[in-house]
Amino acid sequence: QTTCRLCELQGDVECIRAAAGHILAIGEHPGEANFNINGLTEAVTAALSVGETNVARRALSRALEICVAFNGTPSHEHGNLLVTSAIERVLSGAFEEARSLALRGLPMVGDVSLTRYSALLAALAVGSALDDRELLAYEPDAARIELAFKTGLPFIYGPLAALCAPLLAARGEHAAASHLLRNAVRAASAALPLSGSFPLV
């Protein structure tokens, strides 16, 4: 997991492929499988950050298999993997498939903060690509994001703010959109490029 994160920061595509391959191999051992969901998720995030959607898809598929095998019933973790899959499908251009994944995953996620952030990010990315009102309705209140910047982890909410800003601008709320983007840029500049903050902003 640490190697994946380091490779992501360096933009080293070959290293990400190799690290993800090692994590996938570990995931084949039953005794390590449950622990390895986090490792696989890390591999997915790193792969998506450098556009390696095929690597991300393999890791996502394995993580979902493990999640279903261990949990049996839908869970926050399962929902998070589904919405992460939706982001991968957006990057691959499969928007309708992404929409289906996002709508399946969102009800499982609940209001767990970081997981909810990922779910909303996926929903808005798909909704913006398809101009889908059902998904765009998940846009969080601007005041909630403002509070998150003050009390939460700014780098986590930067990408979400960056997606919400164009939605505000499209409604003519230019001052609010500008304020949101400035916060997003400040958050991205002050943190490591985790969760794709830099390219999104």
Side-chain angles (χ1 to χ4, degrees), residues 30 46 80 98 105 129 135 141 174 180 186:
N80 191 33
L135 288 175
D141 183 84
H174 298 113
L180 205 55
R186 195 175 300 117

Side-chain angles (χ1 to χ4, degrees), residues 50-177:
V50 293
E52 284 291 303
T53 53
N54 288 333
V55 174
R57 195 178 311 168
R58 284 178 57 216
L60 275 166
S61 295
R62 182 60 185 142
L64 283 167
E65 287 172 9
I66 294 170
C67 198
V68 170
F70 274 83
N71 293 323
T73 56
S75 62
H76 291 313
E77 197 169 50
H78 194 176
N80 191 33
L81 288 169
L82 286 173
V83 295
T84 304
S85 298
I87 293 175
E88 181 274 315
R89 295 283 71 204
V90 168
L91 294 177
S92 299
F95 297 118
E96 291 296 340
E97 192 177 342
R99 182 181 186 276
S100 174
L101 287 164
L103 288 174
R104 280 172 55 203
L106 280 163
M108 300 181 198
V109 169
D111 289 320
V112 180
S113 58
L114 298 189
T115 305
R116 189 67 180 173
Y117 143 79
S118 297
L120 293 176
L121 190 59
L124 294 181
V126 178
S128 298
L130 295 178
D131 194 24
D132 187 304
R133 291 187 180 184
E134 185 176 1
L135 288 175
L136 290 177
Y138 283 98
E139 179 188 355
D141 183 84
R144 183 179 175 185
I145 296 181
E146 183 73 20
L147 181 64
F149 276 120
K150 291 178 180 177
T151 61
L153 299 172
F155 71 85
I156 289 293
Y157 295 94
L160 186 57
L163 266 179
C164 290
L167 299 178
L168 287 169
R171 294 196 297 268
E173 300 175 43
H174 298 113

Side-chain angles (χ1 to χ4, degrees), residues 8-9 45 48-49 117 121 149 153-163 181 183-201:
E8 180 187 358
L9 296 177
T45 301
L48 290 179
S49 75
Y117 143 79
L121 190 59
F149 276 120
L153 299 172
F155 71 85
I156 289 293
Y157 295 94
L160 186 57
L163 266 179
L181 269 183
N183 270 341
V185 171
R186 195 175 300 117
S189 301
L192 295 173
L194 309 177
S195 304
S197 297
F198 284 165
L200 254 172
V201 173

